[in-house]
Amino acid sequence: MNKINQLFAKRQGRKLLSLYFCAGCPTLEGTADVIKTLERRGIDMIEVGIPFSDPLADGPVIQSAGTVALKNGMTLRRLFTQLAEIKDEVHIPLVLMGYLNVIMHHGIEPFFQDCVKAGVSGCIIPDLPFSDYMEVVKPIADVYDIRVIMMITPETSEERIRFIDEHTDGFIYMVSSASITGVQSNFNDAKVAYFQHINGMNLRNPRMIGFGISNKQTLESAQDNAAGAIIGSKFVTLLNETRDPDKAMDLLYAALKE
């Protein structure tokens, strides 16, 4: 069974925590250390960002991390090599998050082949049109047992959400707002109402809520209305400041209690 499916099947009501970081930032060779540290510190799933020069869905923190990673020399091919070297040491699901241009340049089938070789369980492609997913990407991903995770936002229609739920597997990435990534101090009543509405749809797939989670209020709000939470910008900021994943985790766990 795919590791993503195993994670949600075995959680038994426990709320999950997933973290995002950009491969190659703050250092080119630090990817393996970050991943192994996060697993050791209790993180359930890791999103590894593939740096790209024009990340449309990302806020300034993650854009900056991508710029640093590219300057450091990070490429998708180098990332696959780094991940393959630690494949047997990592037991939690790894999800690659990157834009379609980079994946198409690599080749769609070679991308999924390399995901298997590197121990990657899923991918998130924010700018992948759903029609292209259904016609081109899904048939190839299914052959290699890689989950393609789709995003929904407060602007996604109920009809589209149910269609996504029917034709995807693993989990649904529930974006807290229609804006770009970035830290938020709280989730207002409108966002909580959106979470509750989706929760009430009784979807087949579990949901993970991301974008803006940085403190106790936003974490608990996400975890109350989904299987768990995804933290990106807050952790990326702390990792860049400390240049030490253990110290960054200490600071993150402290922030999530405030």
Side-chain angles (χ1 to χ4, degrees), residues 1-68:
M1 183 188 293
N2 182 285
K3 285 184 181 179
I4 294 173
N5 298 91
Q6 288 179 356
L7 174 65
F8 287 97
K10 294 179 179 179
R11 71 184 184 93
Q12 297 180 331
R14 182 175 65 86
K15 297 302 182 179
L16 305 177
L17 182 59
S18 176
L19 293 191
Y20 166 97
F21 78 100
C22 182
C25 179
T27 65
L28 178 62
E29 300 299 336
T31 304
D33 184 38
V34 174
I35 290 171
K36 289 189 286 186
T37 300
L38 297 191
E39 179 171 19
R40 176 170 51 80
R41 296 298 300 270
I43 298 304
D44 298 294
M45 180 166 56
I46 301 172
E47 291 179 20
V48 183
I50 305 166
F52 181 51
S53 57
D54 190 23
L56 299 177
D58 295 324
V61 169
I62 294 177
Q63 283 191 26
S64 177
T67 299
V68 170

Side-chain angles (χ1 to χ4, degrees), residues 155-198:
E155 296 181 351
T156 307
S157 70
E158 187 167 318
E159 180 183 11
R160 172 53 67 94
I161 291 170
R162 293 199 181 281
F163 192 74
I164 288 172
D165 187 47
E166 181 181 354
H167 295 285
T168 62
D169 189 20
F171 69 95
I172 292 174
Y173 192 131
M174 193 170 158
V175 177
S176 68
S177 69
S179 63
I180 58 176
T181 59
V183 169
Q184 298 177 41
S185 60
N186 63 81
F187 288 147
N188 60 28
D189 290 345
K191 288 178 182 175
V192 173
Y194 156 63
F195 298 159
Q196 293 173 343
H197 173 71
I198 302 301

Side-chain angles (χ1 to χ4, degrees), residues 20-25 27-35 46-52 69-70 72-87 90 94-99 102-103 106 111 114-120 122-124:
Y20 166 97
F21 78 100
C22 182
C25 179
T27 65
L28 178 62
E29 300 299 336
T31 304
D33 184 38
V34 174
I35 290 171
I46 301 172
E47 291 179 20
V48 183
I50 305 166
F52 181 51
L70 291 172
N72 285 344
M74 178 54 71
T75 64
L76 179 55
R77 194 169 303 280
R78 188 186 294 269
L79 173 58
F80 276 132
T81 299
Q82 292 179 346
L83 295 178
E85 289 173 352
I86 60 169
K87 176 182 178 181
V90 179
L94 300 181
V95 178
L96 292 186
M97 187 166 186
Y99 289 84
V102 178
I103 294 168
H106 191 83
F111 173 80
D114 286 339
C115 281
V116 174
K117 294 174 184 175
V120 171
C123 66
I124 301 169

